[in-house]
Amino acid sequence: MREKDFREKFDGLTERQQQTLCLFCQGKKYEEIASRTDTKVGTVRSNMSKIYKSFKRPGDHYTFRQDDMREFCRFMPEDLKELANRFFPNKALRTYRFDLFPALEEDIPEIHRLCEEYFGDDLLPAELRRDWLKRDRNSFRVMKNLNGRIVSFFTVLFVKDYYFSQFIRGNLIERDLLDHSIISQTTAQGPGEDSIYISVVVGKENSKLGLCTLLYLVKYIDLLRRFRRIDKIYALAATDAGRRNIELLNFELYSSASKRKDKEDLYIFDCEKISNLYQHLEDVYPLFKEGLHNIELKSEDRWKPVW
């Protein structure tokens, strides 16, 4: 569908149907739409049926709502703020929508392409990331937009003690962490602390996107801590955006780039005495909650770690 055709069809809807479509494109369920528009669920279904018919082209069949959402949202985002002010002046609608998913092997090429713009010659081999994923299915989580495109991801690796000690000293770099140095998903937890290394890549310089990724990551770490003992978190700052987030979250410099083989600063965060990392960051980082209306943390059953 061309943007011109979309706008013509959209302008042909009633105001209530436009409200309904606007909320639908933000991932709202019919019950939520009914609550926001002060109507019944049956009315929402009726409006959606009329919207489908309005946008339906000859030969088209009704599709699953996620496909519908992707089609509608191809043209909606730039109009959402205007619609929000028009329909719901006291409640801002979401202008972004991101969902978290476990990474699959078929996601590796897209993850690889996402990294290319940042790392150039330092780009990790796609095969290494594939090996990590095979070793531990909990190691990758990808964040997708409404169109189903991966816009960021994070890597969480549980590294065997010997290799981790060499890594934090700067004697090994990220690409040296081969699959045999990673603790398998099926390996039982040892009596001591687990060594965890985190890497985050955001697809473009976008503070909202980075913040939403961070929200998911912190919640994910809290879930991991139900199964593993994680007292310290180590992270490299490979980009300016990553460095800003690390500093805002009160990470401390552990080893400087000049002393490391990878020429990157390594930071540490001691969370041994913090029972709920998410709550802690909410308290010390005022901007932390600003991205909450763009994500759905209650969907954790889909992306939580599995042991």
Side-chain angles (χ1 to χ4, degrees), residues 96-143:
Y96 293 83
R97 173 72 181 182
F98 304 112
D99 290 312
L100 196 68
F101 298 89
L104 304 174
E105 285 191 46
E106 51 262 38
D107 293 325
I108 295 297
E110 191 171 354
I111 289 173
H112 192 71
R113 285 192 294 270
L114 195 63
C115 296
E116 285 179 330
E117 61 182 284
Y118 285 121
F119 301 112
D121 294 339
D122 292 330
L123 184 67
L124 290 179
E127 195 58 39
L128 178 58
R129 286 196 170 91
R130 187 173 286 106
D131 289 342
W132 287 346
L133 184 59
K134 289 179 180 178
R135 186 78 171 171
D136 182 1
R137 292 289 173 179
N138 294 319
S139 59
F140 284 94
R141 291 296 181 267
V142 296
M143 194 169 78

Short mmCIF file of all heavy atoms in Angstrom, two decimals, residues 96-143:
data_model
loop_
_atom_site.label_atom_id
_atom_site.label_comp_id
_atom_site.label_asym_id
_atom_site.label_seq_id
_atom_site.Cartn_x
_atom_site.Cartn_y
_atom_site.Cartn_z
N TYR A 96 6.70 4.85 20.28
CA TYR A 96 7.57 3.74 19.92
C TYR A 96 6.99 2.48 20.57
O TYR A 96 6.26 2.54 21.54
CB TYR A 96 9.01 3.94 20.43
CG TYR A 96 9.75 5.06 19.78
CD1 TYR A 96 9.59 6.37 20.21
CD2 TYR A 96 10.61 4.82 18.72
CE1 TYR A 96 10.27 7.41 19.61
CE2 TYR A 96 11.30 5.85 18.11
CZ TYR A 96 11.13 7.15 18.56
OH TYR A 96 11.80 8.17 17.97
N ARG A 97 7.37 1.36 20.03
CA ARG A 97 6.92 0.11 20.65
C ARG A 97 7.97 -0.95 20.38
O ARG A 97 8.31 -1.20 19.21
CB ARG A 97 5.59 -0.33 20.03
CG ARG A 97 5.11 -1.68 20.47
CD ARG A 97 4.64 -1.71 21.91
NE ARG A 97 4.21 -3.04 22.30
CZ ARG A 97 3.72 -3.34 23.48
NH1 ARG A 97 3.56 -2.41 24.38
NH2 ARG A 97 3.36 -4.56 23.77
N PHE A 98 8.53 -1.52 21.44
CA PHE A 98 9.58 -2.51 21.30
C PHE A 98 9.23 -3.74 22.13
O PHE A 98 8.73 -3.63 23.24
CB PHE A 98 10.92 -1.94 21.77
CG PHE A 98 11.32 -0.67 21.08
CD1 PHE A 98 11.37 0.53 21.78
CD2 PHE A 98 11.63 -0.66 19.73
CE1 PHE A 98 11.74 1.70 21.15
CE2 PHE A 98 11.99 0.51 19.09
CZ PHE A 98 12.04 1.70 19.80
N ASP A 99 9.53 -4.89 21.57
CA ASP A 99 9.30 -6.15 22.28
C ASP A 99 10.60 -6.95 22.31
O ASP A 99 11.41 -6.88 21.38
CB ASP A 99 8.22 -6.97 21.58
CG ASP A 99 6.85 -6.34 21.75
OD1 ASP A 99 6.50 -6.00 22.89
OD2 ASP A 99 6.13 -6.19 20.76
N LEU A 100 10.78 -7.73 23.38
CA LEU A 100 11.99 -8.53 23.55
C LEU A 100 11.69 -9.99 23.23
O LEU A 100 10.61 -10.49 23.55
CB LEU A 100 12.49 -8.41 24.99
CG LEU A 100 13.93 -8.87 25.25
CD1 LEU A 100 14.91 -7.95 24.55
CD2 LEU A 100 14.22 -8.91 26.75
N PHE A 101 12.67 -10.64 22.60
CA PHE A 101 12.51 -12.04 22.21
C PHE A 101 13.82 -12.80 22.44
O PHE A 101 14.90 -12.21 22.34
CB PHE A 101 12.15 -12.17 20.72
CG PHE A 101 10.86 -11.52 20.35
CD1 PHE A 101 10.82 -10.19 19.96
CD2 PHE A 101 9.67 -12.24 20.37
CE1 PHE A 101 9.62 -9.58 19.62
CE2 PHE A 101 8.47 -11.65 20.02
CZ PHE A 101 8.44 -10.31 19.63
N PRO A 102 13.75 -14.10 22.72
CA PRO A 102 14.97 -14.92 22.69
C PRO A 102 15.52 -14.94 21.27
O PRO A 102 14.75 -15.02 20.30
CB PRO A 102 14.47 -16.31 23.11
CG PRO A 102 13.15 -16.08 23.76
CD PRO A 102 12.56 -14.88 23.09
N ALA A 103 16.82 -14.84 21.13
CA ALA A 103 17.42 -14.89 19.80
C ALA A 103 17.40 -16.32 19.26
O ALA A 103 17.58 -17.28 20.00
CB ALA A 103 18.86 -14.38 19.85
N LEU A 104 17.17 -16.43 17.96
CA LEU A 104 17.21 -17.71 17.26
C LEU A 104 18.42 -17.71 16.34
O LEU A 104 18.98 -16.65 16.03
CB LEU A 104 15.93 -17.91 16.45
CG LEU A 104 14.61 -17.82 17.23
CD1 LEU A 104 13.43 -17.90 16.27
CD2 LEU A 104 14.54 -18.91 18.28
N GLU A 105 18.82 -18.88 15.89
CA GLU A 105 19.98 -18.96 15.00
C GLU A 105 19.77 -18.15 13.72
O GLU A 105 20.71 -17.55 13.20
CB GLU A 105 20.30 -20.42 14.66
CG GLU A 105 20.97 -21.17 15.81
CD GLU A 105 21.52 -22.52 15.39
OE1 GLU A 105 22.18 -22.58 14.33
OE2 GLU A 105 21.27 -23.50 16.10
N GLU A 106 18.52 -18.10 13.25
CA GLU A 106 18.27 -17.34 12.02
C GLU A 106 18.36 -15.83 12.24
O GLU A 106 18.37 -15.05 11.28
CB GLU A 106 16.90 -17.69 11.43
CG GLU A 106 15.75 -17.62 12.40
CD GLU A 106 15.39 -18.98 12.96
OE1 GLU A 106 16.30 -19.79 13.23
OE2 GLU A 106 14.18 -19.24 13.11
N ASP A 107 18.44 -15.39 13.52
CA ASP A 107 18.61 -13.96 13.81
C ASP A 107 20.07 -13.52 13.72
O ASP A 107 20.35 -12.31 13.66
CB ASP A 107 18.11 -13.64 15.23
CG ASP A 107 16.61 -13.79 15.37
OD1 ASP A 107 15.90 -13.50 14.39
OD2 ASP A 107 16.16 -14.21 16.46
N ILE A 108 21.00 -14.46 13.73
CA ILE A 108 22.42 -14.12 13.77
C ILE A 108 22.85 -13.22 12.60
O ILE A 108 23.56 -12.23 12.82
CB ILE A 108 23.30 -15.39 13.82
CG1 ILE A 108 23.05 -16.15 15.14
CG2 ILE A 108 24.78 -15.03 13.70
CD1 ILE A 108 23.42 -15.38 16.38
N PRO A 109 22.45 -13.49 11.34
CA PRO A 109 22.86 -12.59 10.25
C PRO A 109 22.39 -11.15 10.46
O PRO A 109 23.14 -10.20 10.18
CB PRO A 109 22.20 -13.22 9.01
CG PRO A 109 22.07 -14.66 9.35
CD PRO A 109 21.75 -14.69 10.81
N GLU A 110 21.17 -10.97 10.97
CA GLU A 110 20.67 -9.62 11.21
C GLU A 110 21.42 -8.96 12.37
O GLU A 110 21.72 -7.76 12.32
CB GLU A 110 19.17 -9.65 11.48
CG GLU A 110 18.52 -8.28 11.48
CD GLU A 110 17.01 -8.31 11.54
OE1 GLU A 110 16.42 -9.42 11.48
OE2 GLU A 110 16.40 -7.23 11.66
N ILE A 111 21.73 -9.73 13.40
CA ILE A 111 22.54 -9.22 14.51
C ILE A 111 23.91 -8.79 13.99
O ILE A 111 24.44 -7.73 14.37
CB ILE A 111 22.69 -10.30 15.60
CG1 ILE A 111 21.36 -10.49 16.33
CG2 ILE A 111 23.80 -9.95 16.59
CD1 ILE A 111 21.36 -11.65 17.31
N HIS A 112 24.47 -9.60 13.10
CA HIS A 112 25.78 -9.31 12.52
C HIS A 112 25.75 -8.00 11.73
O HIS A 112 26.65 -7.16 11.86
CB HIS A 112 26.20 -10.48 11.62
CG HIS A 112 27.63 -10.43 11.19
ND1 HIS A 112 28.68 -10.65 12.05
CD2 HIS A 112 28.20 -10.16 9.97
CE1 HIS A 112 29.82 -10.54 11.40
NE2 HIS A 112 29.56 -10.24 10.15
N ARG A 113 24.70 -7.81 10.95
CA ARG A 113 24.58 -6.58 10.15
C ARG A 113 24.41 -5.36 11.05
O ARG A 113 24.92 -4.28 10.76
CB ARG A 113 23.39 -6.69 9.20
CG ARG A 113 23.63 -7.59 8.00
CD ARG A 113 22.55 -7.43 6.96
NE ARG A 113 21.25 -7.89 7.45
CZ ARG A 113 20.82 -9.13 7.32
NH1 ARG A 113 21.59 -10.06 6.75
NH2 ARG A 113 19.62 -9.49 7.77
N LEU A 114 23.72 -5.55 12.17
CA LEU A 114 23.52 -4.46 13.11
C LEU A 114 24.85 -3.97 13.69
O LEU A 114 25.02 -2.78 13.97
CB LEU A 114 22.60 -4.94 14.24
CG LEU A 114 21.95 -3.91 15.15
CD1 LEU A 114 21.03 -3.00 14.37
CD2 LEU A 114 21.19 -4.61 16.26
N CYS A 115 25.79 -4.90 13.85
CA CYS A 115 27.09 -4.57 14.43
C CYS A 115 28.06 -3.94 13.42
O CYS A 115 29.01 -3.26 13.82
CB CYS A 115 27.74 -5.82 15.01
SG CYS A 115 26.83 -6.55 16.39
N GLU A 116 27.81 -4.17 12.15
CA GLU A 116 28.77 -3.73 11.13
C GLU A 116 28.99 -2.22 11.15
O GLU A 116 30.11 -1.74 10.94
CB GLU A 116 28.28 -4.17 9.75
CG GLU A 116 28.47 -5.64 9.48
CD GLU A 116 27.96 -6.06 8.11
OE1 GLU A 116 27.01 -5.43 7.60
OE2 GLU A 116 28.52 -7.03 7.56
N GLU A 117 27.93 -1.44 11.40
CA GLU A 117 28.06 0.01 11.35
C GLU A 117 28.95 0.55 12.47
O GLU A 117 29.47 1.65 12.37
CB GLU A 117 26.68 0.67 11.43
CG GLU A 117 25.92 0.36 12.71
CD GLU A 117 24.53 0.99 12.71
OE1 GLU A 117 24.43 2.21 12.92
OE2 GLU A 117 23.55 0.25 12.47
N TYR A 118 29.14 -0.22 13.53
CA TYR A 118 29.94 0.24 14.66
C TYR A 118 31.38 -0.26 14.64
O TYR A 118 32.31 0.47 14.94
CB TYR A 118 29.30 -0.21 15.98
CG TYR A 118 28.08 0.56 16.39
CD1 TYR A 118 26.88 -0.08 16.59
CD2 TYR A 118 28.15 1.94 16.58
CE1 TYR A 118 25.75 0.63 16.97
CE2 TYR A 118 27.03 2.65 16.96
CZ TYR A 118 25.83 2.00 17.16
OH TYR A 118 24.73 2.69 17.53
N PHE A 119 31.56 -1.52 14.30
CA PHE A 119 32.81 -2.17 14.64
C PHE A 119 33.79 -2.38 13.50
O PHE A 119 34.95 -2.66 13.74
CB PHE A 119 32.50 -3.50 15.34
CG PHE A 119 31.70 -3.33 16.59
CD1 PHE A 119 30.39 -3.79 16.66
CD2 PHE A 119 32.23 -2.71 17.69
CE1 PHE A 119 29.63 -3.62 17.80
CE2 PHE A 119 31.48 -2.53 18.86
CZ PHE A 119 30.18 -2.99 18.90
N GLY A 120 33.35 -2.29 12.27
CA GLY A 120 34.28 -2.40 11.14
C GLY A 120 35.16 -3.63 11.21
O GLY A 120 34.68 -4.75 11.29
N ASP A 121 36.48 -3.40 11.23
CA ASP A 121 37.43 -4.51 11.26
C ASP A 121 37.39 -5.29 12.57
O ASP A 121 37.87 -6.42 12.65
CB ASP A 121 38.86 -3.99 11.03
CG ASP A 121 39.04 -3.42 9.62
OD1 ASP A 121 38.24 -3.79 8.74
OD2 ASP A 121 39.95 -2.60 9.42
N ASP A 122 36.84 -4.67 13.63
CA ASP A 122 36.76 -5.33 14.94
C ASP A 122 35.50 -6.17 15.08
O ASP A 122 35.22 -6.70 16.17
CB ASP A 122 36.80 -4.29 16.06
CG ASP A 122 38.15 -3.60 16.14
OD1 ASP A 122 39.15 -4.25 15.80
OD2 ASP A 122 38.19 -2.42 16.54
N LEU A 123 34.74 -6.29 14.01
CA LEU A 123 33.48 -7.03 14.06
C LEU A 123 33.71 -8.50 14.41
O LEU A 123 34.56 -9.17 13.82
CB LEU A 123 32.78 -6.93 12.69
CG LEU A 123 31.40 -7.56 12.55
CD1 LEU A 123 30.40 -6.80 13.41
CD2 LEU A 123 30.98 -7.52 11.08
N LEU A 124 32.96 -8.97 15.40
CA LEU A 124 33.06 -10.38 15.77
C LEU A 124 32.52 -11.27 14.65
O LEU A 124 31.54 -10.91 13.99
CB LEU A 124 32.27 -10.66 17.04
CG LEU A 124 32.77 -10.09 18.35
CD1 LEU A 124 31.82 -10.47 19.47
CD2 LEU A 124 34.18 -10.58 18.65
N PRO A 125 33.12 -12.42 14.43
CA PRO A 125 32.59 -13.34 13.42
C PRO A 125 31.17 -13.79 13.78
O PRO A 125 30.88 -14.07 14.95
CB PRO A 125 33.57 -14.53 13.46
CG PRO A 125 34.80 -14.00 14.13
CD PRO A 125 34.35 -12.95 15.08
N ALA A 126 30.32 -13.86 12.79
CA ALA A 126 28.95 -14.32 13.04
C ALA A 126 28.95 -15.73 13.61
O ALA A 126 28.11 -16.08 14.45
CB ALA A 126 28.14 -14.27 11.74
N GLU A 127 29.92 -16.53 13.19
CA GLU A 127 29.98 -17.92 13.66
C GLU A 127 30.25 -18.00 15.16
O GLU A 127 29.76 -18.91 15.85
CB GLU A 127 31.08 -18.67 12.90
CG GLU A 127 31.00 -20.18 13.05
CD GLU A 127 29.67 -20.75 12.58
OE1 GLU A 127 29.13 -20.26 11.56
OE2 GLU A 127 29.16 -21.67 13.25
N LEU A 128 31.01 -17.02 15.70
CA LEU A 128 31.29 -17.01 17.14
C LEU A 128 30.00 -16.76 17.92
O LEU A 128 29.73 -17.44 18.91
CB LEU A 128 32.32 -15.94 17.47
CG LEU A 128 32.69 -15.79 18.96
CD1 LEU A 128 33.21 -17.10 19.53
CD2 LEU A 128 33.70 -14.67 19.16
N ARG A 129 29.22 -15.80 17.47
CA ARG A 129 27.94 -15.54 18.14
C ARG A 129 27.01 -16.75 18.02
O ARG A 129 26.27 -17.08 18.96
CB ARG A 129 27.28 -14.30 17.54
CG ARG A 129 27.93 -12.99 17.94
CD ARG A 129 27.03 -11.81 17.65
NE ARG A 129 27.55 -10.60 18.26
CZ ARG A 129 28.38 -9.75 17.65
NH1 ARG A 129 28.75 -9.98 16.41
NH2 ARG A 129 28.82 -8.67 18.28
N ARG A 130 27.06 -17.42 16.89
CA ARG A 130 26.23 -18.62 16.71
C ARG A 130 26.67 -19.71 17.70
O ARG A 130 25.83 -20.41 18.28
CB ARG A 130 26.33 -19.10 15.27
CG ARG A 130 25.38 -20.26 14.93
CD ARG A 130 25.38 -20.59 13.46
NE ARG A 130 24.66 -19.60 12.67
CZ ARG A 130 25.23 -18.68 11.88
NH1 ARG A 130 26.55 -18.67 11.75
NH2 ARG A 130 24.51 -17.82 11.21
N ASP A 131 27.98 -19.84 17.90
CA ASP A 131 28.50 -20.82 18.86
C ASP A 131 28.06 -20.49 20.28
O ASP A 131 27.71 -21.39 21.06
CB ASP A 131 30.03 -20.88 18.78
CG ASP A 131 30.53 -21.54 17.50
OD1 ASP A 131 29.73 -22.23 16.85
OD2 ASP A 131 31.71 -21.35 17.16
N TRP A 132 28.10 -19.20 20.63
CA TRP A 132 27.64 -18.78 21.95
C TRP A 132 26.18 -19.17 22.16
O TRP A 132 25.80 -19.69 23.21
CB TRP A 132 27.78 -17.27 22.12
CG TRP A 132 29.18 -16.77 22.28
CD1 TRP A 132 30.29 -17.52 22.56
CD2 TRP A 132 29.61 -15.42 22.17
NE1 TRP A 132 31.40 -16.72 22.64
CE2 TRP A 132 31.01 -15.41 22.41
CE3 TRP A 132 28.98 -14.21 21.91
CZ2 TRP A 132 31.75 -14.24 22.38
CZ3 TRP A 132 29.72 -13.05 21.89
CH2 TRP A 132 31.10 -13.06 22.12
N LEU A 133 25.38 -18.90 21.14
CA LEU A 133 23.94 -19.18 21.24
C LEU A 133 23.67 -20.67 21.39
O LEU A 133 22.81 -21.09 22.15
CB LEU A 133 23.22 -18.62 20.01
CG LEU A 133 21.70 -18.73 19.99
CD1 LEU A 133 21.10 -18.01 21.18
CD2 LEU A 133 21.14 -18.16 18.69
N LYS A 134 24.42 -21.49 20.65
CA LYS A 134 24.27 -22.94 20.77
C LYS A 134 24.68 -23.43 22.15
O LYS A 134 24.09 -24.36 22.70
CB LYS A 134 25.12 -23.65 19.69
CG LYS A 134 24.59 -23.48 18.28
CD LYS A 134 25.51 -24.19 17.30
CE LYS A 134 25.01 -24.05 15.86
NZ LYS A 134 25.94 -24.71 14.89
N ARG A 135 25.70 -22.79 22.69
CA ARG A 135 26.21 -23.18 24.01
C ARG A 135 25.21 -22.83 25.12
O ARG A 135 25.02 -23.58 26.06
CB ARG A 135 27.54 -22.47 24.25
CG ARG A 135 28.27 -22.90 25.51
CD ARG A 135 28.95 -24.22 25.32
NE ARG A 135 29.82 -24.53 26.45
CZ ARG A 135 30.42 -25.70 26.62
NH1 ARG A 135 30.22 -26.67 25.73
NH2 ARG A 135 31.20 -25.90 27.64
N ASP A 136 24.61 -21.65 24.99
CA ASP A 136 23.66 -21.20 26.02
C ASP A 136 22.56 -20.38 25.35
O ASP A 136 22.80 -19.26 24.90
CB ASP A 136 24.40 -20.34 27.07
CG ASP A 136 23.47 -19.87 28.18
OD1 ASP A 136 22.28 -20.23 28.15
OD2 ASP A 136 23.94 -19.14 29.07
N ARG A 137 21.37 -20.94 25.29
CA ARG A 137 20.24 -20.27 24.65
C ARG A 137 19.82 -19.01 25.40
O ARG A 137 19.06 -18.19 24.87
CB ARG A 137 19.04 -21.23 24.56
CG ARG A 137 19.25 -22.38 23.60
CD ARG A 137 19.23 -21.89 22.17
NE ARG A 137 19.59 -22.95 21.23
CZ ARG A 137 19.63 -22.79 19.91
NH1 ARG A 137 19.35 -21.61 19.39
NH2 ARG A 137 19.98 -23.78 19.12
N ASN A 138 20.30 -18.84 26.61
CA ASN A 138 19.98 -17.62 27.37
C ASN A 138 20.93 -16.47 27.07
O ASN A 138 20.77 -15.38 27.63
CB ASN A 138 20.04 -17.92 28.88
CG ASN A 138 18.96 -18.90 29.31
OD1 ASN A 138 17.82 -18.80 28.87
ND2 ASN A 138 19.32 -19.84 30.18
N SER A 139 21.92 -16.69 26.23
CA SER A 139 22.97 -15.70 26.06
C SER A 139 22.57 -14.49 25.23
O SER A 139 23.20 -13.43 25.33
CB SER A 139 24.21 -16.36 25.43
OG SER A 139 23.89 -16.92 24.17
N PHE A 140 21.53 -14.60 24.40
CA PHE A 140 21.12 -13.48 23.55
C PHE A 140 19.64 -13.18 23.72
O PHE A 140 18.81 -14.09 23.76
CB PHE A 140 21.34 -13.81 22.06
CG PHE A 140 22.77 -13.73 21.61
CD1 PHE A 140 23.55 -14.86 21.60
CD2 PHE A 140 23.31 -12.53 21.18
CE1 PHE A 140 24.85 -14.81 21.18
CE2 PHE A 140 24.62 -12.47 20.76
CZ PHE A 140 25.40 -13.61 20.75
N ARG A 141 19.33 -11.89 23.77
CA ARG A 141 17.95 -11.43 23.66
C ARG A 141 17.94 -10.27 22.66
O ARG A 141 18.82 -9.40 22.72
CB ARG A 141 17.38 -10.98 25.02
CG ARG A 141 17.17 -12.11 26.02
CD ARG A 141 16.13 -13.10 25.53
NE ARG A 141 15.85 -14.20 26.45
CZ ARG A 141 16.45 -15.37 26.41
NH1 ARG A 141 17.42 -15.60 25.53
NH2 ARG A 141 16.09 -16.34 27.25
N VAL A 142 16.98 -10.30 21.75
CA VAL A 142 16.89 -9.27 20.72
C VAL A 142 15.65 -8.42 20.93
O VAL A 142 14.60 -8.92 21.34
CB VAL A 142 16.87 -9.87 19.29
CG1 VAL A 142 18.17 -10.60 19.00
CG2 VAL A 142 15.69 -10.83 19.11
N MET A 143 15.76 -7.13 20.67
CA MET A 143 14.62 -6.24 20.77
C MET A 143 14.17 -5.87 19.36
O MET A 143 14.98 -5.45 18.53
CB MET A 143 14.98 -4.97 21.56
CG MET A 143 13.76 -4.17 21.99
SD MET A 143 14.16 -2.86 23.18
CE MET A 143 14.84 -1.62 22.08
#
